């Protein structure tokens, strides 16, 4: 793995009254998503003039924040989502963590926040996963979902980039993001609000993007949908991405298509990038091209569009069975899981869980 900063050593304070083993084992065996938090957290502080300092691993606990902290008023906040996987021989490994560290730096740049060195990001994640390694579920159950984030902590109501930040990493045992029992995901196509516009913050992983997506999610839920697909802000015509994942289409001629990153409004998904690579490896024709909503409904109805799936760290590869909008609806692949979707998911998961070779050097063993 990339070398770790020598300048900053983590002070480790172990939780003395950690979650009792029986309770932890029962949580880890049936974790759901985003609720079964581990015993520890990593915290590193930034102060202008001093840089990053006071790196700690400590018992997970509430934060003390001044009520004037910039994050609470002006949403100076960014985050990442990544996972630790348990391999067949019991080791614990990360998937492309350097890509998360780099995207975190890009998000920080867009939100005028302090730059966190890549090796400090990786060290914080590695230390937390190591101390909480008993929280990594068995592969048939799921993964350890890791949430690194940074908040502006300076107490100042003037609108300006903060001079104090905290970088924090928490983690939770996690099962499927979408329950598999419910079958393929139904997706609401949002035609009123947008997630991102050119020049906005769409490519940054900042909390505000997600807050702005929630009214659409609520509306989707009223229509029986678990996710929302957003369109471009200018023409309200082109598919962009979902509230928390990228989208990919498979056509009758075997082509895999996903919206391009060039417009600067879509999150540069690491899963997206990995799947494009794996599809190319498998000899599939791959296109990163714009695709219009009216075309999606037409192609779904004519049978030209065979499969659609969502992809992301949390979602992995989740088949989409139906789209609904205010004016139209369609079913994809008879609301069943398509072969290409299943194969890509399997290929990706086999690498992530260490069941197969790692031809692209994506895996980092941590514990
Ligand atoms: N798009 C959005 C809006 C997301 O929140 C995510 C999840 O992180 C993704 C796409 C997929 O990104 P990744 O594959 O890096 O998790
Ligand atoms: C992730 O996939 O890591 C995300 O941040 C998206 C969210 C739906 C949990």
């Amino acid at each position: 793995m990339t070398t770790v900063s020598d300048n900053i050593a983590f002070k480790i304070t172990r939780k003395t009254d950690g979650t009792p083993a029986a309770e932890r084992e029962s949580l880890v065996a049936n974790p759901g998503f985003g609720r079964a938090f581990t015993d520890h957290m990593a915290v590193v502080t930034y102060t202008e003039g001093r840089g990053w300092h006071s790196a700690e691993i400590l018992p997970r606990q509430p934060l003390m924040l001044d009520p004037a902290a910039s994050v609470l008023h002006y949403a100076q906040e960014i985050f990442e989502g990544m996972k630790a996987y348990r391999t067949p021989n019991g080791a614990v490994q990360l998937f492309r963590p350097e890509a998360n560290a780099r995207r975190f730096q890009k998000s920080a740049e867009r939100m005028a926040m302090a730059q966190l060195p890549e090796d400090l990001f990786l060290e914080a994640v590695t230390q937390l996963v190591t101390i909480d390694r008993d929280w990594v579920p068995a592969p048939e159950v799921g993964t350890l979902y890791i949430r690194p984030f940074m908040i502006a902590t300076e107490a100042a109501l003037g609108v300006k980039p903060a001079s104090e930040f905290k970088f924090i990493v928490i983690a939770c045992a996690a099962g499927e993001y979408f329950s598999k029992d419910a079958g393929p995901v139904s997706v609401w196509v949002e035609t009123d609000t947008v997630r991102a516009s050119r020049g906005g913050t769409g490519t940054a992983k900042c909390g505000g993007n997600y807050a702005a997506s929630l009214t659409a999610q609520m509306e989707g839920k009223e229509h029986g949908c678990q996710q929302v697909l957003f369109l471009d802000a200018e023409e309200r015509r082109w598919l962009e991405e979902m509230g928390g994942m990228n989208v990919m289409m498979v056509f009758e001629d075997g082509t895999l298509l996903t919206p391009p990153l060039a417009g600067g409004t879509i999150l540069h998904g690491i899963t997206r990038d990995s799947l494009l690579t794996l599809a190319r490896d498998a000899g599939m024709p791959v296109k990163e091209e714009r695709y219009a909503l009216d075309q999606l409904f037409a192609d779904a109805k004519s049978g030209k569009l065979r499969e659609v799936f969502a992809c992301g760290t949390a979602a992995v590869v989740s088949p989409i069975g139906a789209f609904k909008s205010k004016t139209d609806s369609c079913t994809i692949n008879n609301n069943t899981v398509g072969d290409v979707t299943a194969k890509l998911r399997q290929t990706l998961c086999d690498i992530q869980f260490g069941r197969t070779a790692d031809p692209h050097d994506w895996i980092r063993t941590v514990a």
Side-chain angles (χ1 to χ4, degrees):
M1 182 181 286
T2 315
T3 50
V4 153
S5 176
D6 318 310
N7 321 336
I8 198 152
F10 277 76
K11 177 179 166 212
I12 298 178
T13 312
R14 217 168 240 287
K15 191 168 184 197
T16 46
D17 55 346
T19 308
E23 193 184 322
R24 186 192 66 237
E25 278 158 21
S26 126
L27 279 167
V28 169
N30 188 11
F33 187 91
R35 291 182 286 103
F37 293 105
T38 68
D39 282 331
H40 297 88
M41 63 202 273
V43 181
V44 193
T45 302
Y46 177 90
T47 316
E48 208 168 80
R50 198 174 160 197
W52 290 101
H53 61 91
S54 310
E56 285 194 75
I57 299 290
L58 66 173
R60 187 175 182 281
Q61 57 194 271
L63 302 174
M64 280 279 277
L65 274 185
D66 191 289
S70 304
V71 62
L72 301 176
H73 302 271
Y74 309 127
Q76 238 193 325
E77 188 268 357
I78 57 170
F79 69 96
E80 269 304 321
M82 52 205 292
K83 284 175 170 174
Y85 305 82
R86 196 175 282 288
T87 71
N89 65 11
V92 174
Q93 60 188 31
L94 301 171
F95 180 72
R96 305 187 70 181
E98 302 88 357
N100 294 97
R102 284 195 291 270
R103 188 169 64 188
F104 200 66
Q105 291 182 333
K106 289 253 179 266
S107 300
E109 195 180 316
R110 178 64 185 87
M111 303 303 286
M113 300 173 84
Q115 278 294 312
L116 184 78
E118 189 177 318
D119 56 359
L120 187 49
F121 179 101
L122 297 173
E123 178 67 356
V125 169
T126 302
Q127 293 269 358
L128 183 67
V129 173
T130 304
I131 200 164
D132 282 335
R133 62 163 290 146
D134 290 345
W135 288 85
V136 184
E140 57 280 11
V141 173
T143 58
L144 185 76
Y145 183 77
I146 306 162
R147 176 51 63 87
F149 63 105
M150 195 202 300
I151 53 173
T153 51
E154 183 184 353
L157 294 185
V159 181
K160 65 165 189 80
S163 60
E164 289 166 22
F165 298 94
K166 282 210 189 289
F167 169 61
I168 302 172
V169 190
I170 55 173
C172 56
E176 294 285 339
Y177 192 73
F178 298 115
S179 156
K180 276 208 168 150
D181 306 338
V185 177
S186 293
V187 172
W188 176 248
V189 185
E190 174 62 14
T191 46
D192 293 335
T193 64
V194 293
R195 182 187 169 275
S197 55
R198 274 174 195 266
T201 58
T203 52
K205 206 159 160 59
C206 60
N209 288 345
Y210 297 77
S213 75
L214 296 178
T215 50
Q217 187 178 311
M218 259 164 41
E219 196 180 354
K221 198 169 167 199
E222 281 162 20
H223 291 85
C225 297
Q226 300 104 302
Q227 259 293 308
V228 177
L229 175 69
F230 288 96
L231 303 176
D232 76 291
E234 280 153 36
E235 294 183 61
R236 307 289 173 102
R237 176 167 183 221
W238 306 101
L239 268 60
E240 294 230 308
E241 64 177 319
M242 326 262 278
M245 43 214 73
N246 294 116
V247 64
M248 292 196 176
M249 275 67 60
V250 182
F251 293 89
E252 61 182 352
D253 67 355
T255 301
L256 181 71
L257 183 144
T258 194
L261 303 174
T265 51
I266 295 177
L267 193 79
H268 295 206
I270 296 160
T271 318
R272 175 191 180 281
D273 182 73
S274 309
L275 291 171
L276 292 178
T277 303
L278 295 175
R280 285 191 185 103
D281 288 355
M284 283 177 75
V286 168
K287 286 187 185 162
E288 294 178 69
E289 278 175 15
R290 296 204 299 180
Y291 187 58
L293 178 65
D294 48 2
Q295 195 70 51
L296 179 141
F297 281 122
D299 289 347
K301 288 171 191 173
S302 73
K304 194 174 165 207
L305 177 60
R306 290 288 163 83
E307 302 177 29
V308 186
F309 59 86
C311 61
T313 299
V316 193
V317 171
S318 294
I320 294 174
F323 286 97
K324 294 180 198 171
S325 76
K326 275 191 177 150
T327 53
D328 212 341
S329 67
C330 65
T331 303
I332 307 289
N333 198 35
N334 291 323
N335 200 25
T336 62
V337 184
D339 293 345
V340 177
T341 305
K343 180 85 181 75
L344 282 171
R345 181 182 167 111
Q346 188 70 43
T347 308
L348 177 69
C349 289
D350 282 348
I351 296 174
Q352 291 174 327
F353 285 95
R355 293 189 290 253
T356 190
D358 167 28
H360 298 286
D361 189 27
W362 285 337
I363 293 303
R364 303 290 176 261
T365 301
V366 290

